[in-house]
């Protein structure tokens, strides 16, 4: 037995939302952006005199940065590989400095061991 209202999922007073209830839509401007893969995307922005659209936009198809110049799109960012802590230490210290620090630390440990036992 089917019962209930024929209009399900609505409430009293619900109706189509139109421009009368929402207000006037802001004037829009569409800007073309091209990525290095040749994809074009055209996001729209509110048209305001003092505000310029961004110079770059992320391509929704490949994720590369896209620019407004079709002939000269921005290049892909360079991803540097993950560096370990040891790689950062080796950038700051030479092998001889590392050996000196190791000797100092070992001497301090030996001295402590001698006084504790």
């Amino acid at each position: 037995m089917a019962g209930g209202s024929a209009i399900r999922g609505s409430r009293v007073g619900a109706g189509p939302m139109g421009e009368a209830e929402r207000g006037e839509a802001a004037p829009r401007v569409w800007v073309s952006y091209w990525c290095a893969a040749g994809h074009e995307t055209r996001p729209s922005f509110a048209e305001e005199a003092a505000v310029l659209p961004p110079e770059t936009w992320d391509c929704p198809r490949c994720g590369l940065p896209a620019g407004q110049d079709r002939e000269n799109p921005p290049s892909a960012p360079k991803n540097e590989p993950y560096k370990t802590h040891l790689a950062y230490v080796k950038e700051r210290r030479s092998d001889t400095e590392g050996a000196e620090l190791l000797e100092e630390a070992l001497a301090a440990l030996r001295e402590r061991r001698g006084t504790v036992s």
Side-chain angles (χ1 to χ4, degrees):
M1 174 169 155
S5 174
I7 304 174
R8 290 191 171 182
S10 69
R11 63 183 191 273
V12 175
M17 289 282 289
E19 295 238 347
E21 291 184 32
R22 281 189 301 209
E24 289 293 319
R28 310 298 284 171
V29 61
W30 284 263
V31 180
S32 291
Y33 291 92
W34 290 273
C35 69
H39 304 134
E40 179 186 14
T41 184
R42 291 182 44 110
S44 67
F45 301 96
E47 188 174 21
E48 295 183 26
V51 180
L52 297 175
E55 293 197 19
T56 60
W57 193 261
D58 289 338
C59 177
R61 292 180 65 191
C62 63
L64 292 173
Q68 296 178 25
D69 184 4
R70 183 179 202 162
E71 303 303 320
N72 191 17
S75 60
K78 295 184 176 155
N79 292 332
E80 292 193 22
Y82 175 76
K83 282 188 181 178
T84 63
H85 176 70
L86 182 60
Y88 283 110
V89 170
K90 285 184 175 183
E91 284 181 357
R92 292 193 315 258
R93 307 226 190 272
S94 67
D95 289 340
T96 55
E97 288 175 325
E100 289 173 10
L101 286 172
L102 178 62
E103 277 305 314
E104 287 176 23
L106 289 174
L109 281 174
R110 288 183 190 120
E111 182 181 310
R112 234 156 116 228
R113 207 176 213 189
T115 58
V116 172
S117 26

